[in-house]
Each structure stands twice: as structure tokens, then as C-alpha cells.
Amino acid sequence: MEGLAIMTSGGDAAGMNPAVKYSVEYARSLGYKPYLIYDGLRGMIDGNIKEAKPDAVSGIIHRGGTILRSSRSKRFFEYDYRKQAYDNLKKLGITKLIVIGGDGSFRALNDFYHDFKVPFAGIPATIDNDINGTDYCLGVDTALNMIRGNVDSIRDTANSFSRAFVVEVMGRDCGYLAMTTAVTSGAEICLVPELEYDLDRIGNRLRPELENGRNFLIAIVAEGCNMGDYLTRWINDTLNIEARLTILGHIQRGGSPTVRDRLMASKFAVAAVDSLHRGETCNIMVYRSGDFGTLPINRVADSPTPVDPDLIRLCKPLSR
Ligand code: F6P
């Protein structure tokens, strides 16, 4: 029986567990012997690999994070460690891999393929939603709902205490989480790396509102702007309303996967197993304009992430 191993790698994201479950179950139904690699690339090097018995993936669909755990491994960049990882797979008869993670993990598996010809299929999973070629990455919907709940709570206290709140959200260099949050939470200000901002114009826009009875403000700032502290002080000093900064941090990565993340995980998983079963070698599963498909890793890793033009249009007025 051919071995097919599943791993999660890079920043954890909700939806990873449902993707693991469906990959295991669908691979088994096609006649593969499924394996689980624990601790990501590090576990592949250290041989932390176990056969996936049916009970290994039962009762995990609702759990956040990843039961396989994850890591970012520097050792995997060195050939000798990749060779060690290959020997571990070979010993167990594993000839195909599914990696659930971000583009850094896909690139690492691509190097591995070029060394040892072990085909892999990538399932995009990162709350940042910054993988080129796919409109959706697992974990994004859960993260957005987590952020929404927190911003709704912050608005309660902002309104009650007549304050401004600057809320910094994750996303690395990508403003997707911040822009979507700003639109869906009715924020007054949104600063993201993709948009030039103009504090003078923001001041001119909001001052009359504050003078006419507005008693609170919500500003959403992407971590990639590195503006949280500065904007908080600027609002406090320039707009004459007491301001506080809330950095949501890693809370955004946790939580039970939403229905959308569970369903997308099941479809990505089936697409990944099918891709390997068809004999494809280095493809990433993508979801574009409502359809599932595959893209070769080079098209995913080597191009910049396009910005959603609708979100840009909606958020531009909030950045000036
Ligand atoms: O890529 C996911 C992400 O959560 C980013 O949004 C954030 O910048 C980064 O990972 C945080 O990394 P770490 O968990 O290593 O602090």
C-alpha cells in the first residue's frame, strides 16, 4: 500500500484540523495508507511520523489550531537535514505528501521535491490571506469572526466611555484582515500597507463629526503599518478624544473553525488528494472566483499577492 503523509506547517490556522481529517479519510478511501507527520518540517526531519489510525482524526473537526502541531524549521533549508527527512519517509513507504500551510512551507517542499522527487500537494492555510493565486486561505473566516467579536466588544466600551480605540490586527505585510474588519465593523479609520494614508485629511473629516456629537471612534490598523502607537497618540493629541490602543495579537489565530473554514477544508483536502492521485507533483490547491483548481508552486511562490480591488475601493475613504 502506498503511503501518503499529511502535515501542517508554518503559522497555525483554524481549518487545519478539518483539512487533516478529510485528507486522511479521502486518501484511505482511494487505497492509500495515510500517515501523520507531527511538528511540521521539524517532525519530518526528526521522524515524528505515525500511521493515521481511524481514531486519530475523529473528534478533531471542531478544534482550533492543529492537532499535528506546527513549526518553522531553519534546518530544512540544509540538504543534509532534508536527506534525513527523506530517509524517514522512505523507511515507512511514504511516496506522497500533503502540506497544509503557507507559501514558505510550499517552497520548502518544492526544494524537497527537486532533491528527492517526492510529490506534494499544498493546501493554503494562513489567517493573512496573502497566498498568491487563491482568493481564500483556511483560517481567514475564523480569524475575521474572532476579530469581529473583539471589535464589537471594544465598541461597547468605546461608546460607553466616549473614547477612541485603535485596534491593531495581524496579517504580516498584508492588509486583508484589517480592510475586511474595517468594512464589516463600520470603522472610521483604516490604515493598511496597501493604501497611502493622510492624517491631515482624516482629521479634517472627523473633527466636524466629533464637534457635532460623535463620542467614539474605531480605527483598524494592520500590523504591517507599524502605526498603532503613533496613531493612538495622534488621535489623542490632535482630535481631542481620549484614545487607547488594543493589539489583538495571537487571539486571532485561535478558536473553533467556522462552518466556512470546515467546508473549505473538506474541499481543499479532496482536491489535494485527487491532485496527487492524478500523478501531479508540486501543485497548490486554489479557490478562485468560486471555483477550486490547482496552480503549480512556481506561479504561487514567485508572484506578488494581488490586492482585492473592491476592498481597496471601500477602505480608501477610511485612510484619508
Ligand atoms: O502568518 C500568520 C501570522 O499570525 C501573522 O499574521 C503574524 O505576523 C505572524 O504569523 C506571527 O508570527 P508568530 O506566531 O511567529 O509570532
Side-chain angles (χ1 to χ4, degrees):
M1 228 183 209
E2 213 181 332
L4 184 155
I6 295 128
M7 69 195 297
T8 52
S9 178
D12 52 276
M16 283 181 158
N17 284 331
V20 169
K21 174 185 169 66
Y22 284 109
S23 299
V24 165
E25 291 175 352
Y26 187 55
R28 184 179 288 119
S29 76
L30 294 186
Y32 293 98
K33 188 170 180 181
Y35 283 89
L36 299 173
I37 301 175
Y38 290 85
D39 298 316
L41 297 171
R42 186 171 68 209
M44 203 162 135
I45 294 169
D46 296 336
N48 199 354
I49 307 171
K50 295 193 181 88
E51 189 189 334
K53 304 277 186 214
D55 67 341
V57 293
S58 64
I60 67 167
I61 201 162
H62 63 295
R63 288 173 60 185
T66 162
I67 59 145
L68 299 185
R69 299 184 297 274
S70 192
S71 64
R72 294 187 179 109
S73 169
K74 288 207 175 92
R75 286 188 298 164
F76 205 78
F77 290 107
E78 294 177 38
Y79 177 87
D80 288 350
Y81 286 115
R82 291 204 293 274
K83 173 78 171 63
Q84 195 173 312
Y86 174 66
D87 291 340
N88 291 331
L89 300 184
K90 203 167 159 210
K91 240 184 294 168
L92 296 168
I94 295 168
T95 56
K96 294 181 186 343
L97 291 171
I98 290 180
V99 57
I100 305 164
D103 51 1
S105 311
F106 302 156
R107 272 195 292 271
L109 267 286
N110 194 37
D111 290 347
F112 190 68
Y113 175 77
H114 284 101
D115 291 335
F116 306 108
K117 300 290 170 278
V118 179
F120 74 96
I123 294 181
T126 165
I127 65 165
D128 302 339
N129 213 26
D130 62 350
I131 299 180
N132 188 54
T134 185
D135 298 343
Y136 193 75
C137 301
L138 293 183
V140 171
D141 190 58
T142 306
L144 284 172
N145 278 292
M146 181 64 81
I147 298 169
R148 178 196 49 74
N150 282 290
V151 174
D152 284 351
S153 302
I154 283 171
R155 193 185 303 98
D156 290 344
T157 174
N159 199 352
S160 306
F161 218 74
S162 299
R163 276 176 169 163
F165 273 83
V166 175
V167 182
E168 183 185 289
V169 302
M170 278 187 168
R172 237 179 253 280
D173 301 322
C174 177
Y176 183 85
L177 290 180
M179 285 192 274
T180 308
T181 298
V183 171
T184 56
S185 64
E188 283 70 41
I189 301 172
C190 174
L191 302 191
V192 290
E194 292 85 348
L195 282 170
E196 272 181 35
Y197 60 86
D198 183 335
L199 292 186
D200 288 339
R201 281 176 73 175
I202 290 175
N204 292 339
R205 171 166 60 85
L206 293 173
R207 232 175 259 113
E209 289 190 33
L210 289 162
E211 282 160 12
N212 282 318
R214 165 178 280 289
N215 76 320
F216 74 97
L217 283 178
I218 301 289
I220 306 295
V221 180
E223 66 174 349
C225 290
N226 203 14
M227 280 288 286
D229 267 327
Y230 185 85
L231 184 67
T232 309
R233 267 184 280 115
W234 180 85
I235 291 175
N236 199 77
D237 299 346
T238 317
L239 296 184
N240 212 13
I241 176 169
E242 194 180 15
R244 292 283 188 273
L245 171 65
T246 299
I247 298 173
L248 290 184
H250 287 78
I251 199 168
Q252 295 160 92
R253 290 235 295 258
S256 175
T258 58
V259 167
R260 176 156 207 231
D261 270 323
R262 296 181 199 195
L263 194 59
M264 293 298 285
S266 68
K267 295 183 181 184
F268 274 136
V270 167
V273 175
D274 278 342
S275 168
L276 291 171
H277 197 57
R278 283 194 298 271
E280 294 167 5
T281 54
C282 304
N283 273 352
I284 309 307
M285 306 307 107
V286 294
Y287 178 74
R288 292 199 292 185
S289 311
D291 287 324
F292 287 86
T294 59
L295 267 188
I297 172 71
N298 295 337
R299 300 238 340 252
V300 169
D302 293 344
S303 334
T305 307
V307 178
D308 178 343
D310 293 334
L311 271 184
I312 291 282
R313 211 170 306 129
L314 284 162
C315 288
K316 212 173 199 166
L318 305 178
S319 65
R320 52 192 59 186

